[in-house]
Amino acid sequence: MPSTKTRIAIVGSGVAGLVVARHVVDKLDSYSLTLFEQTDQIGGTWVYTDETDLDKHGLLIHSSMYKNLRTNIPKEIMALPDFPFQDSDGPSFIHHTAIREYLLSYAKHFNLYPYIKLNTLVKHIEPEATRNGRTLWTLTYEYLETKVETTKTFDAVVLCNGHYTVGRVPHIPGIESFHGRCIHSHQYRIPEVYTGKRVCVLGASWSGTDIAMEISQYADKLYLSHNQLDFDLKMPSNIEQRPGVESIRGNIFTFRDGTTAEVDDFVYCTGYEFTYPFMSPKVEIRTDDDHVEPIYKHLVHMDYTNLFFMGLPAHVIPFPMFHIQSKYILGILENRIKLPSPQQMREEYEIEKKSLLNQGIPLRHINKLKDRQWAYYDEIAAAANVSGFPPVVKKVIDHVLQMRDIDFTTYKNYQYRIIDNENFSVSYCKPC
């Protein structure tokens, strides 16, 4: 007899994949689960490696983790709601190795390992329409150790393959004449290699400023090049802010204000591409300009409502968001959440997109939710009939951003403690 369980495939065992798996495993009377992971470890981008280009199987190194990275969100609000961090007395902004240990403990606690296929590359995902109008998914995957390929059918697919592997590198006129060290932040690992150098870091989002700060401790001079008009962070004396790079001639960089600088090493901190190389061309996915369409609620493909995309929103509190999104996904699969028709979803989305564009938000920033994140969490939590974020979370992150604006060099020295759903305490701790 065929199984009546809903067969779910999850692609990727980073945080998002593990969180979805945790909620599926909670309902094994209704679901069967396979989680595919192309590397030999779970954890996604939180798995550090010194390697920067290709792995032992000739695949792109997945993680962009650099050696000294600490979180930019306090662990007290970063934790998953059903799995707090064990070290409640330690610092709030923790080293990436602590996050990795947290994820290993999470997978063990919720018994996820039996459902994870490591060293398994998803090569192709194809939709198949059935006679009754449903869509099934045939998924072809390869065991990398043996090169054996297998194809299986699933009722739903959740894509959690990450967004920090393929760096976006804008073309700069004359870049081919530059012969210094030139990397994308995906390949950045340690700052010591920049000792005594004149370095240009292009891009001033979270990773750009973080990497610039780190390199400045070793570099002779650092130019932080960006086009953020309202950017006024306190910086070390050897960091000089410049507009975007207009052109390059040899080691002379010309910026958009006409000024120039001599540069030895160049780091692109210019973001990442959304990539789904395994997806059938039958499935419409547009990923240009750092934007994925046609996706409803940053999560559901509008034409295939059993195909889900995790990890699209940026400038959010990701771990707890994944928790709510997972509940929303199961609500759809269990018919507790009724989605509009594909046409209605498109119309609703286009209205929202037009409104954001009219507010001056460019297409590439639509997925950067920032202040819009709170309404998003509330909306999908209400639809899934689960608890949203308690008010204290917004209060903490507002304080973090305030301290970051006052002094970017010290904001991670603050220690936060959650008192209840409304209140928190904070104290300043000098670094060791």
Side-chain angles (χ1 to χ4, degrees):
M1 292 290 291
S3 172
T4 58
K5 293 183 177 182
T6 300
R7 300 160 296 180
I8 296 181
I10 300 172
V11 181
S13 71
V15 183
L18 294 174
V19 174
V20 177
R22 174 262 180 276
H23 292 292
V24 173
V25 165
D26 218 23
K27 296 184 172 185
L28 288 177
D29 54 336
S30 302
Y31 299 105
S32 65
L33 170 68
T34 309
L35 194 163
F36 298 92
E37 170 55 50
Q38 73 177 33
T39 73
D40 57 5
Q41 303 177 66
I42 68 168
T45 201
W46 295 97
V47 178
Y48 176 82
T49 173
D50 290 324
E51 301 297 320
T52 58
D53 293 311
L54 301 178
D55 67 12
K56 60 185 177 182
H57 298 295
L59 300 172
L60 288 174
I61 290 293
H62 179 76
S63 177
S64 297
M65 187 59 57
Y66 46 96
K67 196 162 190 175
N68 300 323
L69 181 137
R70 291 163 62 200
T71 61
N72 54 25
I73 298 174
K75 72 176 189 299
E76 289 74 21
I77 61 170
M78 192 175 181
L80 289 154
D82 54 359
F83 198 72
F85 282 92
Q86 295 301 306
D87 180 18
S88 59
D89 296 325
S92 290
F93 298 89
I94 54 180
H95 191 256
H96 63 79
T97 51
I99 298 290
R100 176 85 203 296
E101 289 301 317
Y102 173 79
L103 297 177
L104 293 174
S105 299
Y106 181 84
K108 182 179 180 182
H109 179 81
F110 291 110
N111 194 32
L112 305 184
Y113 287 105
Y115 310 96
I116 300 172
K117 291 183 182 293
L118 298 174
N119 291 307
T120 306
L121 175 67
V122 173
K123 301 190 79 172
H124 191 71
I125 300 177
E126 185 82 13
E128 287 188 2
T130 64
R131 289 181 180 178
N132 63 4
R134 291 175 59 219
T135 297
L136 298 178
W137 299 94
T138 58
L139 194 147
T140 301
Y141 54 94
E142 176 186 319
Y143 292 104
L144 293 170
E145 302 292 336
T146 62
K147 303 300 181 186
V148 173
E149 279 194 11
T150 305
T151 299
K152 287 191 177 180
T153 302
F154 293 88
D155 300 294
V157 174
V158 188
L159 302 181
C160 306
N161 57 308
H163 176 222
Y164 299 107
T165 297
V166 180
R168 187 188 310 107
V169 180
H171 176 70
I172 300 172
I175 182 62
E176 61 280 350
S177 70
F178 178 67
H179 298 300
R181 183 189 288 108
C182 184
I183 64 168
H184 187 274
S185 57
H186 175 65
Q187 299 157 308
Y188 174 77
R189 293 295 183 267
I190 57 173
E192 288 85 352
V193 296
Y194 297 99
T195 299
K197 301 289 189 177
R198 297 164 298 186
V199 184
C200 179
V201 172
L202 179 62
S205 192
W206 288 90
S207 63
T209 50
D210 206 32
I211 289 171
M213 288 287 298
E214 200 171 281
I215 291 176
S216 72
Q217 297 175 48
Y218 295 86
D220 182 47
K221 181 75 176 181
L222 189 138
Y223 299 96
L224 182 58
S225 171
H226 62 86
N227 295 311
Q228 297 189 36
L229 299 177
D230 57 348
F231 198 74
D232 187 27
L233 295 181
K234 183 179 177 182
M235 291 284 180
S237 59
N238 66 332
I239 294 183
E240 191 174 318
Q241 296 188 58
R242 295 284 179 95
V245 179
E246 183 74 35
S247 62
I248 297 171
R249 186 173 182 178
N251 70 336
I252 303 297
F253 281 46
T254 300
F255 301 96
R256 290 185 176 180
D257 62 356
T259 61
T260 61
E262 288 189 51
V263 172
D264 301 309
D265 294 302
F266 188 25
V267 183
Y268 289 94
C269 293
T270 44
Y272 293 83
E273 305 282 356
F274 286 101
T275 57
Y276 305 97
F278 40 71
M279 187 55 68
S280 164
K282 293 179 184 177
V283 179
E284 179 190 1
I285 307 176
R286 298 192 303 279
T287 59
D288 51 304
D289 209 8
D290 198 21
H291 184 71
V292 183
E293 292 187 15
I295 309 298
Y296 184 69
K297 301 302 178 192
H298 304 282
L299 195 56
V300 189
H301 196 287
M302 295 182 197
D303 298 325
Y304 300 94
T305 55
N306 55 355
L307 175 63
F308 304 96
F309 291 69
M310 297 287 280
L312 300 188
H315 292 230
V316 293
I317 303 174
F319 294 18
M321 180 185 73
F322 296 150
H323 177 91
I324 298 175
Q325 287 184 321
S326 299
K327 295 284 195 178
Y328 187 84
I329 288 171
L330 295 187
I332 293 170
L333 295 177
E334 294 163 13
N335 291 315
R336 291 182 286 104
I337 295 175
K338 304 293 184 183
L339 294 173
S341 69
Q343 181 182 348
Q344 288 173 313
M345 284 191 276
R346 274 182 158 79
E347 289 173 356
E348 184 181 324
Y349 171 74
E350 288 299 330
I351 290 170
E352 181 185 9
K353 182 168 85 171
K354 185 178 179 182
S355 171
L356 293 170
L357 293 173
N358 287 341
Q359 293 171 41
I361 298 174
L363 187 68
R364 68 182 184 279
H365 289 169
I366 284 179
N367 69 317
K368 296 178 179 179
L369 297 190
K370 297 183 179 179
D371 289 340
R372 290 179 283 130
Q373 65 182 304
W374 312 108
Y376 175 67
Y377 305 146
D378 288 346
E379 181 184 7
I380 61 172
N385 196 28
V386 297
S387 298
F389 282 31
V392 69
V393 175
K394 183 177 186 303
K395 292 178 182 178
V396 169
I397 203 67
D398 285 347
H399 189 274
V400 169
L401 294 174
Q402 181 185 355
M403 294 303 101
R404 182 177 184 265
D405 286 343
I406 291 172
D407 192 339
F408 184 83
T409 65
T410 61
Y411 81 100
K412 292 186 181 182
N413 297 338
Y414 286 90
Q415 195 173 56
Y416 295 86
R417 295 292 177 260
I418 304 298
I419 297 171
D420 53 37
N421 281 348
E422 294 281 349
N423 301 291
F424 70 95
S425 64
V426 60
S427 57
Y428 185 83
C429 303
K430 290 184 178 180
C432 299

